[in-house]
Amino acid sequence: MSDHDHQHRTGEPAPESATAARLFDVRRIIGGLFVVYGVIVTLAGFTASDADLAKAQGININLWTGLGMLALGLFFLVWLKLRPALPPTAAELDEAAPAGTSDGSAH
């Protein structure tokens, strides 16, 4: 039984498509990457030498950029947790389907 057939019978998306929708939510990918790179850049900021600070006119740019990246990544992950992605409903899929494909015939 395909995801589309399951949705037409029950009015709900198949469990596999709901899991895939949550797994590949772009907020998870963006948030995760920003957190990982933020940790790396923040650690580089903690280990900055005097020469590195002199190049940036005394500002620890790696530390501040890393903290900003961490904050942005955490924002995306919190947003994902508070407002999870919902798969489209049967009515939304029927509206988006080209004419003649929602007649219930086998695909």
Side-chain angles (χ1 to χ4, degrees):
M1 170 178 6
S2 73
D3 288 350
H4 191 68
D5 292 337
H6 176 83
Q7 189 161 7
H8 271 293
R9 286 191 196 128
T10 64
E12 296 179 4
E16 299 86 22
S17 66
T19 301
R22 285 190 302 273
L23 183 63
F24 294 110
D25 190 346
V26 72
R27 295 174 295 178
R28 180 182 311 266
I29 296 166
I30 292 172
L33 285 174
F34 267 100
V35 166
V36 168
Y37 290 132
V39 167
I40 293 169
V41 174
T42 301
L43 289 175
F46 283 131
T47 61
S49 66
D50 290 336
D52 292 333
L53 294 176
K55 287 181 194 177
Q57 298 177 353
I59 299 170
N60 194 340
I61 195 72
N62 283 337
L63 179 64
W64 288 109
T65 302
L67 291 174
M69 292 174 76
L70 276 172
L72 183 63
L74 291 174
F75 167 76
F76 272 95
L77 294 176
V78 168
W79 180 21
L80 175 69
K81 185 72 172 168
L82 295 177
R83 299 211 21 134
L86 300 174
T89 63
E92 291 171 341
L93 287 176
D94 286 341
E95 287 176 12
T101 60
S102 62
D103 58 356
S105 63
H107 295 282

